[in-house]
Amino acid sequence: MNELHSIGLNSIELNSIQKSYQGRTVLDLPESLTFLQGNRYALMGPNGSGKSTLLRLIAGLLTPDSGSIMLPDDLRNNCGYLPQTPYIFDTSVLSNVTLAGCDKKAARDILVTMGLSALAAQNAKTLSGGEKQRLCLARMLIRSHKLLLLDEPISAQDRSSVELVANVLETYLKETDCTLIIATHTPRFAELLCCEIIHLENGKRSEA
Amino acid sequence: MQTFQELWQLLTGPDGELRGIVYTTLRLCLTSTVLSAALGIPGGAALGLYRFPGRKFLVRICRTLMGLPPVLAGLAAFFLLSRSGPLGQYKLLYSVGAMVTAQIMLGVPIAAGLTQSVIASSAEAIRETAYGIGLRRCRLLGRTLHECRKSFVSIVCLTFGQCLSEVGAAQICGGNIAGKTRVMTTAIVLETNMGDFKMAGALGILLLLISFGIMALGAWGVRADE
């Protein structure tokens, strides 16, 4: 079975998902996996454990080789996805945010929240890795989503910036009641934000 | 030094032959470049951005034609434009128009192939990011092209360089007619055959200076954008 269902329920349900790249199985979840709406989940595991693949499958950027993904239309149409290496547009920091479809005032406000207001007029390509990551997050959080899929959003952040990002996300999640699935290598970040941690190893679900 | 002085005198003196050659060269190369870019860049963008049946085959054809020998392009244009050819009725052979036709055959694959490579390398990341932030599909195309604008300048410069430097196609389709289709590269060949190596060398240096000027203009354009 290789299909992507869309149902009217409030949860995301993955049934017996399998995905391979060039003959190598990168994700193999024989059991079903359910993400309840409004809950927060962290995907943890070493590199190559299948976290990003799982997020890309839920986002609809990949289709599973077998199994099914049941994603409510409401969530599918209001899904925000932050790739591991998001593209920074070759324009100012402010324009990078307004590209997401908001006015300049809202963009300036979120840049203040993310500690990037002083860099608003600067070309976004010249930012540091951590600043770029916060810009991408700002670009994502400018809109109201019902499902947020974040692939290692703090991998380039220092300790204080991790706290900042966690606080900003906490406020956003409280305001929007959206479902959060986040892939991270930082246990503290996962504990700060999420109610459930899913461990993956070699494409399979594992115990912590 | 003496050669440069002679070259300068020929360029500024009463005999306008060299000025005519330079003018024909620039007219030919600029027309070919503009037309090649106008056809090749959108074609390459489509190959880089969209997935459709036969795309891989077209990319391979494009890659193959990027290395098309100018003599072969000239020969193809010659057959196309000769009296018995499919476009013979337009009587373009041995005119600048025929040379432009041959150079378009060389320029379009270069412009299309390079555009495809540039766009394909960044399109996936842009597409994923655009999807993640909810950027509309129509804006995605415009944004992707905008992101690659600096590369387009380089592609146009490279296409111009190809048109400026080729000699085989210009010789076959233009015939190297003095005052009509003689361009700098065919003039260099002629001067070399006649044993006037000084003049051939001077023309070569002038050709390099023109190429340098065009490339500097391209680099200035990119810098101005930054």
Side-chain angles (χ1 to χ4, degrees):
Chain A
M1 195 165 70
N2 181 5
E3 56 187 7
L4 207 69
H5 292 295
S6 193
I7 56 167
L9 300 174
N10 286 336
S11 60
I12 304 164
E13 210 168 304
L14 280 71
N15 293 309
S16 312
I17 289 291
Q18 196 175 43
K19 182 72 189 172
S20 303
Y21 285 122
Q22 294 169 342
R24 180 185 158 231
T25 302
V26 287
L27 195 67
D28 183 13
L29 301 171
E31 70 278 22
S32 71
L33 196 58
T34 305
F35 299 96
L36 297 171
Q37 192 174 20
N39 278 9
R40 306 160 184 190
Y41 301 87
L43 304 174
M44 294 198 69
N47 292 334
S49 58
K51 305 185 295 293
S52 300
T53 305
L54 184 54
L55 287 182
R56 286 162 64 86
L57 281 164
I58 296 170
L61 292 164
L62 293 176
T63 46
D65 295 336
S66 63
S68 61
I69 297 171
M70 289 183 265
L71 184 68
D73 287 334
D74 197 23
L75 264 63
R76 183 192 298 280
N77 299 333
N78 290 288
C79 170
Y81 168 68
L82 182 70
Q84 204 173 85
T85 46
Y87 189 86
I88 299 288
F89 294 105
D90 189 9
T91 179
S92 71
V93 169
L94 188 71
S95 298
N96 259 274
V97 181
T98 54
L99 268 173
C102 66
D103 58 37
K104 284 191 176 174
K105 192 193 171 305
R108 281 187 204 283
D109 288 346
I110 196 134
L111 287 177
V112 171
T113 313
M114 281 294 186
L116 296 168
S117 57
L119 307 168
Q122 202 170 310
N123 187 306
K125 293 264 186 193
T126 63
L127 299 184
S128 72
E131 287 165 346
K132 279 181 185 168
Q133 219 166 32
R134 273 183 283 143
L135 167 63
C136 293
L137 211 54
R139 201 164 59 180
M140 169 127 312
L141 301 182
I142 196 75
R143 291 178 60 177
S144 183
H145 297 286
K146 294 210 168 157
L147 171 63
L148 215 50
L149 306 166
L150 309 180
D151 198 348
E152 300 192 20
I154 53 145
S155 57
Q157 301 300 327
D158 57 31
R159 202 178 173 85
S160 63
S161 298
V162 169
E163 301 281 336
L164 172 77
V165 170
N167 287 336
V168 171
L169 274 173
E170 183 65 49
T171 311
Y172 179 86
L173 294 168
K174 273 183 185 156
E175 282 171 2
T176 58
D177 191 34
C178 89
T179 310
L180 173 73
I181 308 176
I182 193 165
T184 182
H185 288 287
T186 314
R188 172 149 171 74
F189 186 64
E191 283 159 11
L192 269 174
L193 274 176
C194 302
C195 57
E196 191 177 329
I197 295 175
I198 297 163
H199 291 272
L200 295 172
E201 204 169 329
N202 294 325
K204 295 182 192 305
R205 197 169 176 178
S206 69
E207 294 303 314
Chain B
M1 200 63 198
Q2 199 189 341
T3 310
F4 281 111
Q5 276 172 354
E6 282 173 15
L7 186 68
W8 182 251
Q9 277 164 8
L10 280 171
L11 269 173
T12 54
D15 181 13
E17 191 188 347
L18 184 58
R19 280 199 301 274
I21 291 173
V22 173
Y23 170 73
T24 309
T25 306
L26 288 176
R27 188 160 68 106
L28 166 69
C29 295
L30 289 173
T31 311
S32 306
T33 304
V34 167
L35 292 175
S36 298
L39 292 168
I41 291 179
L47 286 174
L49 273 173
Y50 304 112
R51 302 281 174 270
F52 52 86
R55 189 189 73 91
K56 279 186 180 172
F57 178 70
L58 284 176
V59 170
R60 275 192 201 121
I61 293 283
C62 206
R63 292 265 190 280
T64 308
L65 292 179
M66 280 172 85
L68 181 72
V71 181
L72 209 58
L75 195 63
F78 184 90
F79 284 134
L80 207 65
L81 301 171
S82 64
R83 196 170 288 187
S84 55
L87 300 177
Q89 56 181 317
Y90 298 109
K91 294 179 181 166
L92 278 174
L93 205 57
Y94 301 125
S95 70
V96 173
M99 294 154 85
V100 168
T101 308
Q103 290 199 345
I104 286 174
M105 289 182 184
L106 292 168
V108 168
I110 291 176
L114 292 174
T115 302
Q116 188 272 333
S117 296
V118 164
I119 288 195
S121 63
S122 52
E124 197 54 43
I126 296 176
R127 191 181 291 134
E128 235 176 53
T129 300
Y131 169 82
I133 62 171
L135 196 69
R136 286 188 188 146
R137 214 177 155 81
C138 55
R139 288 192 72 190
L140 170 65
L141 172 67
R143 200 67 231 172
T144 308
L145 296 177
H146 187 260
E147 287 300 303
C148 300
R149 65 195 182 280
K150 286 173 194 165
S151 302
F152 292 155
V153 174
S154 306
I155 290 168
V156 169
C157 286
L158 278 168
T159 310
F160 181 83
Q162 166 69 28
C163 295
L164 191 68
S165 61
E166 73 83 19
V167 58
Q171 185 91 44
I172 291 175
C173 294
N176 197 23
I177 302 165
K180 195 182 170 200
T181 59
R182 183 163 296 168
V183 288
M184 296 183 75
T185 47
T186 55
I188 290 171
V189 173
L190 183 73
E191 297 297 340
T192 308
N193 288 341
M194 283 166 39
D196 191 349
F197 299 113
K198 259 189 190 172
M199 191 59 194
L203 279 167
I205 289 167
L206 189 58
L207 194 67
L208 274 176
L209 287 174
I210 291 172
S211 180
F212 178 80
I214 296 289
M215 297 303 157
L217 200 68
W220 174 80
V222 171
R223 260 204 317 277
D225 180 67
E226 282 166 357

